[in-house]
Amino acid sequence: LAAQLGSNLQGVCYVLDEPTIGLHPHDNRILLDTLEALRNKGNTLLVVEHDEDTIRRADHVIDIGPGAGKLGGRIIATGHHEALAAHPDSLTGRFLANPLAHPLYPPRPLPAPEDGWLSLRGAHLHNLRHVNARIPLRRMTVVTGVSGSGKSTLARDVLLANVAAQVHARNQRRPAPALAGMQEIEGWEGITRVLEVDQTPIGKTPRSCPATYVGFWDSIRRLFADTSEARIRGWGPGRFSFNTAGGRCEACEGQGVQTIEMSFLPDVKVLCDVCRGRRFNRETLDVQLRGKSIGDVLAMDIDEAVAFFAAHPSIAHPLKLLQDVGLGYLTLGQPSPTLSGGEAQRIKLVTELAKVRTRGEGSEDDPRIARARAKALAEGKTLPPPPQTLYVLDEPTVGLHMADVEKLIRVLHRLVEAGNTLIVVEHNLDIWAEADWIVDLGPDGGAGGGRIVAAGTPVELAARGVTHTARALADFLVPRG
């Protein structure tokens, strides 16, 4: 963009796909000023974007929907952002007219100063300047700061890496490893698991799909194996797996597509001409569950599957979670390589939420912990704290519409309510406003960053208004009450 500004070209059509990704609101305003300068020189800009400020500053908006996947693909509204806000069928307009009112959940009190905090001292990796930071446990902490201020370095490369190494060594009963990029860390002892939930693909082949990744496909296969037709033929759940020989289509080996090698060109995948993408052979497809074959179930979208499997909690619960995070338009057999980064990340979060439900009811994954809790309860002793996972997310709102951001916020709150600790690196103001605690790095990027310039609740930071983050947060919260 800087090169184009200096070129003095006119009559150019620029196409930008989500240029605000990874930008702090302070940097975002500079970007939008740059785009307007290009427009004022006589150029045309076509911008694909979810950012509210970008939409409000656009001269003309084209809103596509009304939903996603097969529910979308139509132009719902066009015009200035005010025209969208007045349009009854525009989801984007609905959020422009009625922005989220924060907080969505009642504020959680912070832990006592002497307990319930994860503390790290002397973080000095990359541009971090011997930073000391405190993170409240079983709360959601958002790490903010302008681009290049050291957020990902602190959250992922220092905190995540060291806590994961310490927890792994303890679980394996090995000596604690030396700390990397920092001097000391305290308060991690109650953490039982560490996980980074990012936007990397959940699978690289068509064999991977939401049903197999989340884990309810095995329950569906058992349902088909329990049908009278399957029992008569002596078929077990393995017959209904597209990863093993027997019931799958051997022409495509259960992938539903065939790969054609194109010599010097990239390989081309085409629909299998034997099973027509249904993955199973004809005999297997003859077995039906309430009028649906195993191939029909794979082709169901999640919204349809929620109703179809309503009587089977082990299947219906994760399906409902997928629906809750806005993925109801995906099919159960959607090949993983076709999923976007945001879709993959939400599927990972649903997988975690499906585990959380069991822990919340008191039957933890680790039977030793469950027995210890049951014994303490029987003896009238204080119950040990439930298992706690440390989740680290780096900009989870990338590629998400405002409606999807609201759903993501509710998912994050559910993870915290289940007793877990969340650390979120984020530039999205809606996420900032929902944080229990904010750690703000800066004051600038690169050599001008690497320091914690503010820490506190969103309301406290907004009241101070002395950093780029605090000023943006103050401007954001005041109009929303």
Side-chain angles (χ1 to χ4, degrees):
L1 288 174
Q4 295 303 316
L5 273 176
S7 66
N8 289 318
L9 290 175
Q10 296 182 1
V12 178
C13 178
Y14 295 97
V15 180
L16 300 94
D17 194 354
E18 301 200 56
T20 65
I21 285 177
L23 294 187
H24 187 278
H26 172 73
D27 301 318
N28 198 21
R29 295 189 185 98
I30 298 173
L31 169 72
L32 295 179
D33 291 342
T34 302
L35 297 183
E36 289 183 346
L38 281 173
R39 177 203 60 191
N40 294 338
K41 284 188 173 185
N43 299 299
T44 300
L45 282 81
L46 179 62
V47 185
V48 179
E49 189 55 80
H50 294 295
D51 177 68
E52 181 179 342
D53 287 340
T54 306
I55 295 172
R56 291 187 183 277
R57 288 179 64 169
D59 300 304
H60 188 77
V61 183
I62 300 174
D63 187 33
I64 298 179
K70 69 179 185 180
L71 302 178
R74 299 197 300 273
I75 293 179
I76 302 302
T78 62
H80 195 256
H81 69 84
E82 293 176 350
L84 264 69
H87 198 288
D89 298 325
S90 172
L91 185 61
T92 303
R94 200 177 309 159
F95 276 84
L96 291 174
N98 300 291
L100 290 178
H102 297 287
L104 296 179
Y105 283 61
R108 286 177 285 264
L110 291 170
E114 68 277 3
D115 189 28
W117 291 76
L118 180 65
S119 301
L120 60 152
R121 299 184 183 89
H124 55 268
L125 189 64
H126 302 323
N127 69 333
L128 295 180
R129 303 186 181 188
H130 289 84
V131 165
N132 300 328
R134 298 176 73 236
I135 307 292
L137 295 171
R138 304 187 189 276
R139 301 292 186 273
M140 180 166 69
T141 296
V142 175
V143 182
T144 64
V146 298
S147 301
S149 59
K151 302 181 299 298
S152 294
T153 299
L154 178 66
R156 298 175 64 222
D157 301 338
V158 175
L159 197 148
L160 171 69
N162 282 289
V163 174
Q166 299 296 317
V167 170
H168 180 73
R170 181 194 61 196
N171 294 345
Q172 297 295 319
R173 298 182 179 178
R174 296 176 181 172
L179 298 175
M182 63 180 301
Q183 296 173 349
E184 187 179 2
I185 186 167
E186 295 178 347
W188 61 270
E189 294 79 9
I191 296 172
T192 55
R193 195 167 67 112
V194 180
L195 183 67
E196 180 181 11
V197 184
D198 56 19
Q199 295 198 359
T200 56
I202 61 173
K204 297 181 179 179
T205 71
R207 296 184 188 281
S208 174
C209 61
T212 57
Y213 187 87
V214 178
F216 56 85
W217 184 243
D218 289 343
S219 297
I220 293 176
R221 292 195 296 116
R222 285 194 292 270
L223 283 181
F224 275 90
D226 285 340
T227 60
S228 57
E229 183 68 22
R231 290 201 301 269
I232 289 171
R233 300 187 184 193
W235 292 345
R239 177 77 189 194
F240 302 94
S241 170
F242 49 75
N243 288 322
T244 58
R248 70 182 183 183
C249 171
E250 291 302 328
C252 61
E253 296 184 336
Q255 297 190 57
V257 295
Q258 294 175 321
T259 302
I260 300 176
E261 296 183 0
M262 301 292 287
S263 298
F264 298 106
L265 297 174
D267 294 344
V268 174
K269 293 186 182 296
V270 299
L271 196 68
C272 176
D273 55 5
V274 176
C275 69
R276 307 305 301 171
R278 302 184 76 188
R279 299 192 180 203
F280 295 92
N281 58 35
R282 188 178 60 186
E283 292 78 14
T284 306
L285 293 172
D286 285 340
V287 177
Q288 294 195 345
L289 177 70
R290 300 201 305 280
K292 300 287 186 180
S293 71
I294 191 76
D296 295 331
V297 170
L298 273 178
M300 279 184 183
D301 60 44
I302 289 167
D303 286 334
E304 181 185 358
V306 168
F308 188 80
F309 292 105
H312 306 280
S314 63
I315 303 171
H317 175 61
L319 283 172
K320 187 63 170 63
L321 290 174
L322 287 167
Q323 191 181 52
D324 290 345
V325 299
L327 297 178
Y329 60 91
L330 295 180
T331 62
L332 303 192
Q334 182 102 18
S336 293
T338 67
L339 298 171
S340 70
E343 290 167 341
Q345 186 172 50
R346 280 180 283 171
I347 289 173
K348 293 176 185 178
L349 288 171
V350 164
T351 305
E352 292 302 311
L353 277 175
K355 300 174 184 176
V356 161
R357 179 181 185 234
T358 302
R359 295 190 185 117
E361 292 171 353
S363 54
E364 290 84 358
D365 290 345
D366 189 341
R368 294 174 299 177
I369 296 176
R371 287 195 296 270
R373 288 174 62 83
K375 181 180 178 181
L377 188 63
E379 296 175 355
K381 297 179 180 178
T382 302
L383 289 174
Q388 176 186 180
T389 299
L390 171 64
Y391 295 99
V392 176
L393 299 90
D394 197 347
E395 298 199 55
T397 64
V398 166
L400 297 190
H401 185 272
M402 290 176 279
D404 295 321
V405 170
E406 179 186 7
K407 293 172 181 175
L408 173 67
I409 288 171
R410 298 188 185 280
V411 170
L412 298 181
H413 277 303
R414 288 171 73 170
L415 286 171
V416 175
E417 293 298 327
N420 299 298
T421 299
L422 267 68
I423 299 175
V424 186
V425 178
E426 189 53 77
H427 292 297
N428 185 281
L429 284 157
D430 286 304
I431 300 289
W432 293 5
E434 292 295 319
D436 297 304
W437 189 254
I438 292 179
V439 176
D440 187 24
L441 275 75
D444 298 305
R451 297 194 298 270
I452 293 180
V453 292
T457 66
V459 173
E460 289 172 348
L461 260 67
R464 296 173 197 165
V466 295
T467 67
H468 293 311
T469 295
R471 286 190 288 271
L473 197 52
D475 294 340
F476 179 78
L477 289 179
V478 170
R480 289 164 169 75

